[in-house]
């Protein structure tokens, strides 16, 4: 049925219509993607604009698919796309009918297997391409604030250009819903970084637009007093303007000023059948299909049509091809209080009974919703379980967790319900989607329910959840208790041993990990189907052997473990195999480029398997660390931003926060680094040396840049108490920071050197050197670089030896680590200048160090280089005015000195954005943006944003 929603003119949106059409169709190159996300408050006109733009795009030859999201949370994976395809299939002239039904059939297939969610997304992309048949495809999505997680992943996949079709997305988002940690905020932040994506805020109408719309509704200009009152009461919201204007037109000017009264008055004015229809739609999950509404209100067909027509004419309902929805959801909030509890329960029961009579996957979540609100948990429970199982089949672990949690609540006190089994499912789903605290709480509830859960199984599951939450010490205790339980089966014993080996690996106790891994492999041989245990133990053994003995043999074991995991197709096994392979390559073996590639490839793979919030985050943190070491800080920031959209928790958050902190310390963003370190310290209660030592090392580095050398010394001394780690690399880094803190104290003359601390640090450095002789050659190679820095720092305590610093610089040049190489050149130049010899050489060293530090964006290091150069009167670069330089060559040469990230920041500056706005767009802190802007000014030799913007605009024609 057609609605009269479009009979009023579209006021104040003409320019926006042109802009959106151009962004989605006219300016999109063949084979490319584009998106426009319309945000705005309720009633501002988003849905109307979607329809107007969609109609215009359809008239221009595009294939437009309309879908809307359910308002009961993560109800059904890919619901809006499936809804859009069903509408297309049911249309008067179905487009590519066979292709549409073939794609719909994909959703009914069992998605389990090694291909995972990634294969599903790829098949959806191919199916859409076939349906489009060469035409531009536009996906119009309403109420995106309720979008399910799987659809969010599909949008990211398609708009990143991973699908093979020309796709445009137009979506409406209720801005007041995007508060706090709403997941769509992270998605929009990530998508904003794509040039083809625009987020447009649909603002309320201005005073002139309000009067124009009101005049169209009332069919006459308003008197000045009435116009002023309408403007004040409506705030420019088109929906409220129309409602109040219609009151004025129809002589209902004596109504209360509140919208609630307006809505109630409108409902009370309806005929009784229409009154029933509006209440029914308000209780439903929109859109409410016509057949469904007919079953709920139980009216004859013609009477129902007349009732709906009356509700539409009274501007309470909107009729579309797929059903009915309220003109504004505020109506539902108003009407909810007008029904007795028994009346509300009756409406929900009728909905549930009607949906039960037409079984469909899409109905399971709605069935659970309505049966629950109907007060019939025994009927809501099977639907909630079915919805959870469907979500898991499509790797929608967040949706599954929600539905399992609903099922747990429904089973409370329900005769015959196996609440213990539901608790187990809910805990496991929470673990998979990164809700580790929730997983532990559910497990403890299960343990206290006297369900007869075997003690060994309980210890293993608790240990898994504790380890993921970052509470490693407690997890180790739980695994050991599992192995000590007398009734532990061979399979459970193999599981506990394999997972303990993997945990010890995470703690940096490589010798213990190797020993436990061998025990686990021996136990796994006695158990059929122990693929997971073999993968975990092999990964731990391979890492241990590669670190301690034979890198090639260890790598081969790890690669075989990954291949085994891929064949078996269990998501967590695949994720752990990728994780340890990437860690080994980027860490001890120092094969950084390959390690970064493996980490990023693994992140993509585990995201396909539904483990984005957990293992994808950790893999991206590994990639960030590798990029940081090779000096690609701007790229590291981008990877970090991609990981942050998941808002991880537990051990996943620790890895990511430490990675971000390294960048913040390097950039000189002291406040951001402090916040991250405090957060890590909070999470790491019961953590191991592998995380605690890097935490304290970063604390020391941060304190030194602040001139707090005693604080740095204290952090290092605390770190030296963490002795249960075989990781010589992180220990060598800590010792270097300790000796550097003492050297800085000596140079500053503000804090006395602690001679006993220096002796202890030198002894530990000697022990590290001795122990590294028994480690694999690549490990020795990395450790030797840090030991070279240690020896050079010791020389600063007496009379700095430039030769030791030259050796350190050469060591880090060979390892392709620009930051310590630049730092070493600074100290070498400092030593030469102190000895008053080879000043020309010192100048060259300072210029080289300055160039390297500038390229990284390392502001504190750059400042120290500048300070030394100023004291020595060394010119670090030719001071050529930027305008003059730009006039002698191609425009792009002016920006050649900027990093990729600095160019992105400059482009945003040229748009007139503030530092806060740029930070929101690039998903980094406002303080870090300020660092980048200062760096840009220095490189371009300008003093203002206007001058910098002029250079950018000139260089881009």
């Amino acid at each position: 049925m057609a609605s009269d929603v479009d009979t009023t003119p579209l006021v104040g949106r003409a320019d926006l219509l042109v802009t959106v059409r151009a962004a989605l169709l006219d300016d999109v190159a063949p084979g490319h993607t584009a998106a426009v996300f319309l945000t705005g408050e309720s009633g501002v006109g988003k849905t109307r604009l979607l329809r107007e733009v969609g109609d215009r795009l359809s008239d221009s030859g595009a294939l437009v698919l309309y879908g809307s999201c359910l308002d009961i949370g993560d109800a059904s994976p890919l619901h809006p796309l499936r809804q859009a395809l069903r509408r297309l299939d049911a249309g008067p002239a179905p487009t590519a009918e066979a292709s549409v039904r073939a794609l719909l059939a994909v959703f009914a297939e069992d998605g389990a297997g090694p291909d995972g969610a990634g294969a599903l997304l790829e098949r959806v992309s191919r199916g859409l391409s076939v349906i489009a048949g060469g035409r531009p495809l536009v996906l119009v999505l309403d109420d995106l604030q309720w979008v399910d997680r799987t659809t969010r992943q599909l949008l990211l996949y398609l708009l990143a250009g991973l699908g093979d079709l020309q796709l445009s997305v137009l979506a409406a988002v209720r801005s007041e819903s995007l508060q706090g940690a709403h997941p769509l905020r992270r998605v929009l932040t990530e998508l904003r970084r794509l040039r083809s994506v625009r987020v447009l805020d649909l603002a309320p109408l201005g005073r002139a637009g309000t009067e124009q719309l009101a005049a169209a509704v009332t069919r006459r200009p308003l008197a000045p007093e009435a116009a002023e009152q309408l403007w004040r009461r409506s705030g420019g919201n088109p929906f409220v303007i129309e409602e109040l204007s219609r009151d004025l037109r129809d002589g209902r000017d004596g109504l209360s000023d509140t919208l609630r009264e307006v809505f109630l008055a409108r409902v009370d004015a309806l005929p009784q059948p229409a009154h029933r229809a509006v209440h029914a739609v308000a209780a439903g999950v929109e859109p409410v299909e016509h057949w469904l509404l007919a079953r709920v209100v139980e009216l004859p067909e013609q009477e129902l049509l007349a009732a709906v027509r009356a509700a539409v004419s009274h501007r309470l309902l909107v009729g579309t091809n797929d059903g009915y929805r309220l003109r504004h959801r505020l109506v539902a909030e108003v009407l909810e209080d007008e029904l007795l509890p028994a009346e509300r329960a009756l409406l929900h029961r009728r909905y549930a009974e009607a949906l039960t009579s037409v079984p469909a996957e899409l109905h399971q979540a709605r069935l659970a919703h309505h049966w629950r609100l109907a007060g019939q948990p025994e009927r809501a429970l099977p639907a909630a379980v079915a919805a959870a199982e469907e979500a898991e089949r499509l790797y929608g672990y967040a949706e599954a967790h929600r539905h399992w949690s609903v099922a747990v609540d429904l089973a409370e006190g329900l005769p015959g319900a196996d609440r213990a089994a539901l608790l187990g499912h809910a805990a496991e789903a929470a673990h998979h989607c990164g809700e580790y605290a929730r997983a532990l709480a559910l497990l403890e509830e299960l343990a206290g329910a006297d369900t007869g859960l075997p003690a060994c199984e309980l210890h293993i599951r608790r240990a898994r959840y504790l380890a993921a939450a970052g509470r490693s010490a407690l997890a180790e205790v739980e695994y050991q208790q599992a192995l000590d339980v007398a009734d532990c089966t061979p399979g459970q014993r193999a599981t506990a041993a394999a997972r303990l080996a993997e945990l010890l690996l995470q703690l940096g106790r490589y010798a213990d990990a190797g020993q436990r891994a061998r025990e686990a492999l021996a136990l796994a041989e006695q158990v059929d189907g122990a693929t997971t245990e073999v993968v975990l133990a092999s990964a731990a053994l391979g890492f241990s052997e590669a670190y301690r003995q034979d890198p090639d043999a260890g790598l081969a074991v790890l690669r075989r473990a990954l291949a085994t995991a891929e064949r078996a197709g269990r998501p967590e096994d695949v994720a752990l195999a990728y994780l340890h392979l990437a860690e080994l390559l980027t860490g001890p073996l120092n094969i950084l480029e390959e390690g970064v590639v493996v980490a990023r490839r693994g992140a993509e793979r585990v995201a396909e398997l539904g483990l984005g919030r957990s293992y994808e985050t950790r893999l991206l943190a590994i990639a960030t660390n590798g990029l940081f070491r090779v000096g690609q800080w701007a790229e590291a920031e981008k990877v970090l931003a991609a990981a942050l959209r998941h808002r991880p928790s537990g051990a996943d958050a620790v890895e990511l926060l430490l990675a971000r902190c390294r960048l913040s310390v390097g950039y000189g963003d002291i406040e951001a680094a402090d916040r991250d370190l405090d957060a890590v310290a909070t999470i790491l209660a019961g953590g191991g040396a592998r995380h605690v030592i890097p935490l304290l090392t970063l604390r020391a580095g941060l304190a030194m840049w602040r001139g707090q050398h005693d604080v740095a010394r204290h952090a290092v001394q605390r770190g030296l108490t963490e002795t249960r780690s075989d990781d010589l690399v992180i220990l060598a880094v800590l010792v270097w920071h300790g000796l550097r803190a003492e050297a800085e104290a000596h140079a500053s003359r503000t804090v006395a050197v602690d001679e006993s601390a220096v002796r202890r640090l030198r002894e530990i450095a000697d022990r590290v050197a001795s122990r590294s002789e028994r480690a694999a050659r690549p490990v020795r190679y990395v450790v030797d670089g840090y030991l070279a820095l240690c020896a050079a720092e010791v020389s600063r305590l007496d009379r700095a030896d430039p030769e030791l610093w030259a050796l350190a610089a050469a060591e880090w040049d060979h390892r392709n680590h620009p930051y310590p190489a630049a730092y070493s050149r600074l100290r070498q130049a400092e030593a030469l200048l102190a000895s008053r010899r080879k000043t020309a050489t010192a100048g060259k060293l300072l210029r080289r160090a300055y160039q390297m530090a500038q390229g990284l964006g390392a502001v504190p290091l750059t400042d120290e280089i500048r300070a030394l150069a100023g004291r020595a009167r060394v010119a670090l670069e030719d001071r050529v005015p930027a305008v003059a330089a730009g006039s002698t060559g191609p425009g792009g040469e002016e920006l050649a000195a900027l990093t990729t990230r600095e160019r992105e920041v400059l482009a945003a500056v040229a748009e007139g954005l503030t530092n806060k706005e740029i930070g929101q767009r690039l998903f980094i802190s406002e303080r870090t943006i300020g660092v980048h802007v200062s760096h840009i000014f220095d490189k371009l030799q300008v003093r203002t944003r206007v001058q910098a913007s002029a250079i950018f605009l000139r260089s881009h024609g």
Side-chain angles (χ1 to χ4, degrees), residues 7 89 481 774 874:
T7 57
D89 185 43
Q481 288 179 347
R774 298 188 295 274
V874 171

Side-chain angles (χ1 to χ4, degrees), residues 738-808:
L739 290 169
R740 179 183 162 198
E742 298 300 336
E744 296 287 354
H746 175 74
S748 70
R749 303 183 187 281
T750 58
V751 178
V753 174
D754 187 335
E755 297 295 343
S756 63
V758 172
R759 284 194 300 273
R760 185 184 181 196
L761 288 164
R762 294 182 70 174
E763 290 171 0
I764 295 174
D766 290 341
R767 288 204 298 270
V768 168
S770 176
R771 290 173 60 189
S772 70
E773 293 298 322
R774 298 188 295 274
R777 187 175 180 279
V779 177
R780 293 199 304 273
Y781 183 64
V782 177
V783 170
D784 286 347
Y786 287 109
L787 292 177
L789 288 170
C790 291
E793 295 287 6
V794 169
S795 76
R796 291 177 67 197
L797 294 170
D798 183 16
R799 192 170 187 176
D801 186 344
E803 296 304 320
L804 289 175
W805 285 113
L807 176 61

Side-chain angles (χ1 to χ4, degrees), residues 603-739:
E604 293 175 2
R605 180 73 178 104
V606 300
E608 295 171 357
L609 298 173
L611 300 176
R613 191 182 179 202
S614 52
Y615 288 100
E616 182 189 3
T617 297
R618 294 171 73 174
L619 282 159
L620 290 178
I622 292 170
T624 299
N625 289 331
L627 291 166
F628 176 82
R629 292 183 185 116
V630 298
Q632 296 183 30
W633 290 11
E635 183 65 19
E637 275 190 288
K638 291 181 181 179
V639 174
L640 196 61
L644 283 168
R645 74 175 187 267
H646 294 299
R647 299 184 69 86
S649 62
D652 311 323
V654 168
E655 298 282 2
L656 193 61
L657 291 172
L658 288 174
R660 186 168 68 177
C661 187
R662 290 184 183 94
L663 279 168
S664 297
V665 172
Y667 283 137
D669 192 346
I670 305 300
E671 293 178 3
D674 252 343
R675 286 195 302 270
D676 285 344
L677 290 176
D678 287 343
V680 170
T682 300
I683 297 171
L684 272 183
R690 187 172 172 276
H691 289 135
V692 172
I693 291 178
L695 164 67
L696 295 170
T697 301
L698 287 166
R699 282 259 189 234
L702 194 60
M704 280 186 274
W705 285 131
R706 286 171 155 168
Q708 299 172 340
H709 309 305
D710 52 341
V711 174
R713 173 190 297 154
H714 178 65
V716 171
Q717 295 303 316
R718 283 181 56 200
L720 294 176
T721 64
E722 295 284 343
T723 58
R724 296 190 68 189
S725 175
D726 301 327
D727 197 325
L728 300 177
V729 175
I730 62 172
L731 186 56
V733 177
L734 180 69
V735 172
W736 167 44
H737 276 67
L739 290 169

Side-chain angles (χ1 to χ4, degrees), residues 64 127 161 236 363 515 536 543 617 637 667 721 787 832 856 918:
V64 182
H363 295 337
Q515 178 182 345
L536 295 180
F543 195 112
T617 297
E637 275 190 288
Y667 283 137
T721 64
L787 292 177
L832 289 172
L856 293 170
I918 299 171

Side-chain angles (χ1 to χ4, degrees), residues 388-597:
E389 290 173 344
E390 177 196 1
E392 287 185 335
R393 182 165 53 82
L394 293 174
Y395 298 95
Y397 292 116
E399 296 95 330
H401 171 224
R402 179 183 179 278
H403 293 310
W404 285 123
S405 296
V406 169
V408 167
D409 292 339
L410 290 169
E412 181 73 37
L414 196 63
D418 189 352
R419 192 167 182 273
L422 296 173
L423 281 168
H425 284 297
E428 196 66 10
H431 172 70
H432 281 306
C433 71
E435 296 288 348
Y436 302 127
R438 173 67 174 161
L440 282 165
L442 289 167
L443 184 64
E444 292 312 309
E445 186 176 354
L446 176 62
D450 193 23
T451 59
L453 183 70
C456 188
E457 181 182 343
L458 178 62
H459 285 306
I460 291 172
R461 292 186 68 173
R462 186 182 288 127
R464 285 175 56 222
Y465 299 169
L466 285 168
R471 298 160 69 180
S472 305
L474 293 175
E476 182 180 359
V477 171
E478 290 290 335
Y479 280 132
Q480 191 58 58
Q481 288 179 347
L483 290 169
D484 294 340
V485 171
D487 62 351
C488 197
T489 67
Q492 291 171 334
R493 201 172 297 281
T495 298
R499 291 195 174 278
L500 178 56
E502 197 272 333
L503 175 65
L504 293 171
L505 186 64
Q506 292 286 346
L507 294 175
R509 291 159 55 186
Y510 305 134
D512 293 342
Q515 178 182 345
R516 286 292 186 181
R518 291 184 180 89
E519 294 173 6
L521 288 171
L523 290 167
E525 289 180 357
Q526 306 170 24
V527 181
D528 292 332
T531 305
T532 294
E533 289 71 20
V534 170
V535 169
L536 295 180
S538 297
L541 181 61
F543 195 112
S544 175
E545 289 189 354
Y547 187 95
R548 303 177 67 244
Q549 298 170 7
D550 187 339
D552 293 334
L555 275 173
V557 172
L558 263 172
R559 294 187 197 280
R560 285 198 299 272
L562 176 57
T564 301
E566 288 282 16
R567 284 194 301 272
R570 187 172 181 274
E572 195 170 5
D573 296 350
V574 174
L576 284 168
Y578 266 115
L579 183 73
H580 295 315
L581 180 58
E583 280 181 324
L584 181 63
L585 291 168
T586 58
L589 300 190
N590 200 45
I591 310 174
L592 296 175
E593 288 79 5
E594 182 183 355
V596 170
V597 170

